[in-house]
Amino acid sequence: MSRPEHQAPPEIFYGTDEAEKYTNNTRIMSIQSEMSERALELLALPEDSPSYILDIGCGSGLSGESIEEQGHMWVGIDIAPAMLQVAKERETEGDFLLGDMGEGMPFRPGAFDGAISISALQWLCNRDKSYHKPGKRLYTFFSTLYACLSRGSRAVFQFYPESSDQVELITSMSMKAGFTGGVLIDYPNSSKAKKFFLVLMTGGNQPLPKALGVDETEESAIFENRRERIKQIRGSKNAKKTKDWIKERKERARRKGKD
């Protein structure tokens, strides 16, 4: 079965029939709730006061309910009118906005204390219209998101990457927009429980949270700050130019009678 983003643009795919599943299908509702709670955990919000959260690709409002249950306020944005209609019928306390992630976040600077997104980010990698350029749309999204978050806050995306190239495109555009952070993989050895989370930070370099279902010796992230990674690559290239390496090479040549 093909991936949803290959079947139709999101505003069409998530029509009335698909939207109703998020009201009647208990399995979908349970999975959505679990991923939302994990995303909120990764936000590392202050425990002593309510926060103002942006839910990107809010859909039917299931993630918003998880936000409310933890005592926070929220605003949701989604491109699918049918999903937003279901969200309104659920009578959640959040506010809703119809909008396209790829056209940017239309909010004032520093408006939110954090942002979450469940199963939406991968849609930006598609060319649903002839003029769509995934890299440009991702950068527009991340740069405007960075602007509307308060400094020191985080944005956490649960997403379904199709390939390593897609992960690289997404992360490189987020770093270009000013974020630090990386990709966290919960239960990396499980075909069913494995989940990808992009954890982005606005307060400079910080260690990533620990992934679930991994040993302490396992790597929990597959992406680090781009600048740090470039430094590591350059460092490894220069390793052969050290004095000790040159001296050792000459010594080996002498032993072989080449000097």
Side-chain angles (χ1 to χ4, degrees):
M1 184 177 181
S2 63
R3 293 165 63 95
E5 61 268 25
H6 292 173
Q7 298 180 40
E11 64 272 27
I12 296 175
F13 179 83
Y14 289 106
T16 303
D17 292 342
E18 192 69 21
E20 287 179 355
K21 294 179 182 179
Y22 288 79
T23 301
N24 303 320
N25 190 313
T26 56
R27 181 176 176 274
I28 289 178
M29 295 169 68
S30 176
I31 293 173
Q32 188 86 358
S33 177
E34 289 176 6
M35 294 190 296
S36 300
E37 290 173 5
R38 175 58 171 155
L40 287 167
E41 179 185 356
L42 293 170
L43 277 186
L45 297 168
E47 297 181 359
D48 56 349
S49 62
S51 297
Y52 195 40
I53 307 301
L54 175 61
D55 185 2
I56 305 161
C58 65
S60 64
L62 288 171
S63 300
E65 289 184 351
S66 296
I67 295 172
E68 291 174 17
E69 288 172 359
Q70 297 194 19
H72 305 300
M73 299 169 289
W74 64 286
V75 171
I77 183 169
D78 201 281
I79 195 173
M83 294 292 274
L84 290 179
Q85 183 59 41
V86 171
K88 292 176 182 178
E89 293 171 358
R90 298 176 71 89
E91 299 183 351
T92 56
E93 296 179 7
D95 295 318
F96 303 102
L97 178 68
L98 180 66
D100 179 0
M101 295 166 59
E103 294 181 358
M105 297 292 97
F107 304 105
R108 63 179 176 80
F112 298 99
D113 302 311
I116 66 169
S117 178
I118 307 300
S119 309
L121 186 58
Q122 67 273 4
W123 287 88
L124 283 184
C125 296
N126 269 27
R127 296 177 183 269
D128 292 324
K129 294 179 173 62
S130 60
Y131 58 85
H132 280 179
K133 296 180 179 179
K136 183 177 180 180
R137 283 168 57 78
L138 281 163
Y139 178 71
T140 297
F141 166 64
F142 283 125
S143 58
T144 54
L145 174 63
Y146 186 91
C148 73
L149 291 174
S150 60
R151 294 293 77 87
S153 61
R154 296 182 180 184
V156 176
F157 301 81
Q158 180 277 323
F159 70 116
Y160 295 102
E162 187 174 8
S163 65
S164 58
D165 288 342
Q166 200 173 85
V167 173
E168 179 64 27
L169 176 63
I170 289 170
T171 50
S172 63
M173 289 300 104
S174 67
M175 300 299 123
K176 183 180 178 181
F179 286 105
T180 58
V183 174
L184 188 75
I185 307 177
D186 282 348
Y187 305 104
N189 300 316
S190 171
S191 59
K192 291 185 178 181
K194 185 177 183 179
K195 291 291 183 293
F196 287 78
F197 289 90
L198 176 64
V199 182
L200 300 179
M201 307 172 191
T202 62
N205 291 329
Q206 302 173 46
L208 282 174
K210 182 174 173 56
L212 301 178
V214 298
D215 296 331
E216 292 184 2
T217 55
E218 289 187 82
E219 193 69 38
S220 62
I222 63 171
F223 182 83
E224 295 178 347
N225 182 290
R226 193 182 183 191
R227 289 182 288 271
E228 291 178 355
R229 187 173 56 177
I230 291 173
K231 287 180 182 179
Q232 290 175 358
I233 294 172
R234 287 175 178 169
S236 64
K237 288 181 179 178
N238 292 332
K240 290 187 176 182
K241 303 303 179 183
T242 62
K243 290 181 179 180
D244 290 340
W245 183 85
I246 294 172
K247 185 177 180 180
E248 183 182 346
R249 186 178 180 184
K250 286 184 176 181
E251 184 62 30
R252 287 200 304 269
R254 289 192 190 99
R255 294 196 197 106
K256 293 180 180 180
K258 295 181 180 180
D259 190 23

